[in-house]
Amino acid sequence: MRFRHPDGSTVHLAYCTNVHPAETLDGVLAQLRDHCEPVRRRLGRDRLGIGLWLARDAARALDTDPSALRGLRTELDRRGLEVVTLNGFPYEGFGAEEVKYRVYKPDWADPERLDHTTALARVLAGLLPDDVRDGTISTLPLAWRTAYDDERAQTARTALRTLAERLDAIEELTGRSIRVGLEPEPGCVVETTHDAIAPLTAIAHDRIGICVDTCHLATSFEDPHTALDALTEARVPVVKSQLSAALHAEHPHLPEVREALAAFAEPRFLHQTRTATAAGLRATDDLDEAVAGHALPDGAPWRAHFHVPLHAAPAAPLTSTLPVLKTALTRLVGGPVPLTRHLEVETYTWQALPPELRPRSRSQLAEGIAAELTLARDLLTDLGLKELP
């Protein structure tokens, strides 16, 4: 979906396909048929943006076979879909029964991460619509915090500088400008937007910036105004933003709140949980650790890294951090000039919801994703952006 900002530029809105498990190119093509096109039809749109997630095998197939890349581009056009952004965070196995810590491998100290992201950049340059020259890719925030020492940090910085040089070369060859954004996430080396400033200013290349995920922002209790002001002052580009909402518990000391939270503690994904105290953030790596006992103080609200469907906050006594998303979005695109022009709804946890809340069919999933995009569209038009055909 495209929107005209009051400054005349185009803002793109997509939804991320990591909600649909696929490891191969055939799987990606099936996604377009079974999920993405039905979402577009439910929205009554001739064109829908999707943020493709391409696992290692799919990315390699497209990068090494020009005919395969042309075939995917043709299939996108045929189904009324377009791609301006990729989710380059998960490497493989995102649809496995247990993902947890595996999603952070390989990290930016491993050569596979550089090779994979370079392949994604070349692929994206070939997928961009004819009238679009700018593409973006989100990637993991350097590494999970453990087993990350000074030597690995230096290796990661070198890899990102090499990536920037390769992105320069891609633009020289294709005329397409691809930028990559580190996506701060709780528990990682770069957990917050503040943590991103030092490594990104050290790299000092405008092709490497930040992806602001509003669920992660909220989980870490970051104030959107403070975070975005600091990024602007440091001249760190907001490459893209993922529109998402975290799970919020206002009164975690109550037994009924603990019981409600426990229903969201599931075995597939990691749901880092945080609470803000006078001494700073207190944290657990997963939600089950928090609800099981006394790992976190419970005198203040808890937030968990669980991407809650934007249009459907959980039932009381829980809620979502949708207000944080709204505040961040106002700052991102509500000003005289947008801070970013690529927005992506990223609710990959539909099938990880408590059983009674999960979609029971492809049709129900398509309906839910369309409802999320409708909410995002309404927020954008309320900010003065005009939806384009």
Side-chain angles (χ1 to χ4, degrees):
M1 300 169 75
R2 298 187 184 191
F3 297 81
R4 181 72 68 212
H5 189 273
D7 76 342
S9 64
T10 299
V11 173
H12 294 264
L13 172 66
Y15 90 89
C16 185
T17 64
N18 62 354
V19 65
H20 312 305
E23 298 288 320
T24 66
L25 179 54
D26 285 344
V28 171
L29 295 172
Q31 285 179 352
L32 306 185
R33 178 193 67 226
D34 296 339
H35 299 289
C36 302
E37 186 176 10
V39 170
R40 178 183 65 77
R41 292 185 182 279
R42 282 184 177 274
L43 289 166
R45 302 283 306 173
D46 293 332
R47 175 174 55 188
L48 176 67
I50 58 172
L52 269 184
W53 172 59
L54 298 172
R56 178 196 63 177
D57 289 348
R60 286 180 180 175
L62 291 165
D63 187 38
T64 58
D65 185 351
S67 66
L69 185 59
R70 288 194 298 270
L72 175 57
R73 173 69 183 273
T74 298
E75 191 70 1
L76 288 166
D77 292 342
R78 187 168 77 89
R79 299 194 180 278
L81 305 168
E82 66 178 13
V83 174
V84 302
T85 190
L86 300 180
N87 186 335
F89 197 132
Y91 182 69
E92 60 184 347
F94 199 62
E97 290 185 5
E98 183 176 332
V99 179
K100 298 289 184 181
Y101 295 94
R102 291 170 50 194
V103 75
Y104 307 106
K105 291 292 187 179
D107 64 35
W108 273 102
D110 299 319
E112 295 87 355
R113 178 60 63 174
L114 173 60
D115 293 343
H116 177 60
T117 309
T118 302
L120 290 177
R122 287 193 291 254
V123 168
L124 181 56
L127 292 179
L128 289 175
D130 291 340
D131 61 343
V132 175
R133 69 175 299 273
D134 297 315
T136 58
I137 301 170
S138 48
T139 188
L140 85 164
L142 299 181
W144 186 251
R145 69 182 185 278
T146 57
Y148 192 75
D149 55 21
D150 290 344
E151 182 179 355
R152 292 185 67 80
Q154 180 58 46
T155 301
R157 286 193 294 269
T158 300
L160 286 166
R161 291 190 183 100
T162 300
L163 175 67
E165 294 169 358
R166 293 179 180 180
L167 297 177
D168 286 341
I170 288 173
E171 182 171 19
E172 290 180 10
L173 183 65
T174 68
R176 304 297 178 90
S177 174
I178 309 298
R179 296 188 297 162
V180 173
L182 303 184
E183 179 185 333
E185 177 164 310
C188 292
V189 172
V190 174
E191 172 159 338
T192 66
T193 55
H194 176 77
D195 295 336
I197 290 174
L200 289 175
T201 52
I203 294 166
H205 199 297
D206 61 6
R207 294 200 192 275
I208 311 296
I210 193 170
C211 168
V212 175
D213 183 300
T214 58
C215 170
H216 304 170
L217 189 82
T219 301
S220 295
F221 287 85
E222 288 196 82
D223 173 68
H225 294 292
T226 302
L228 293 171
D229 282 349
L231 292 173
T232 300
E233 184 177 351
R235 298 185 179 180
V236 172
V238 181
V239 168
K240 64 185 279 190
S241 180
Q242 289 172 328
L243 306 183
S244 52
L247 191 63
H248 180 95
E250 186 68 18
H251 302 292
H253 66 284
L254 297 176
E256 60 268 30
V257 175
R258 293 288 185 104
E259 183 179 357
L261 283 169
F264 286 83
E266 52 82 38
R268 178 177 291 181
F269 301 114
L270 208 60
H271 301 297
Q272 302 93 315
T273 305
R274 302 288 186 266
T275 187
T277 73
L281 283 184
R282 293 284 298 276
T284 61
D285 280 357
D286 215 345
L287 181 56
D288 55 1
E289 301 172 41
V291 299
H294 303 286
L296 289 183
D298 58 11
W302 289 3
R303 289 177 179 174
H305 174 216
F306 193 115
H307 288 227
V308 178
L310 300 187
H311 68 293
L318 304 178
T319 187
S320 81
T321 60
L322 184 62
V324 176
L325 183 159
K326 292 179 178 178
T327 301
L329 188 63
T330 299
R331 286 298 311 277
L332 288 166
V333 299
V337 177
L339 299 183
T340 184
R341 294 182 175 87
H342 288 183
L343 305 171
E344 179 182 57
V345 171
E346 196 214 11
T347 305
Y348 59 83
T349 44
W350 276 95
Q351 297 301 340
L353 290 167
E356 67 276 12
L357 301 179
R358 296 173 191 170
R360 295 184 297 275
S361 65
R362 288 177 182 170
S363 177
Q364 286 187 350
L365 178 58
E367 182 179 352
I369 294 170
E372 289 195 284
L373 285 166
T374 297
L375 183 148
R377 178 193 65 195
D378 291 346
L379 292 177
L380 291 172
T381 55
D382 286 348
L383 290 171
L385 283 74
K386 179 181 179 181
E387 187 176 6
L388 298 175

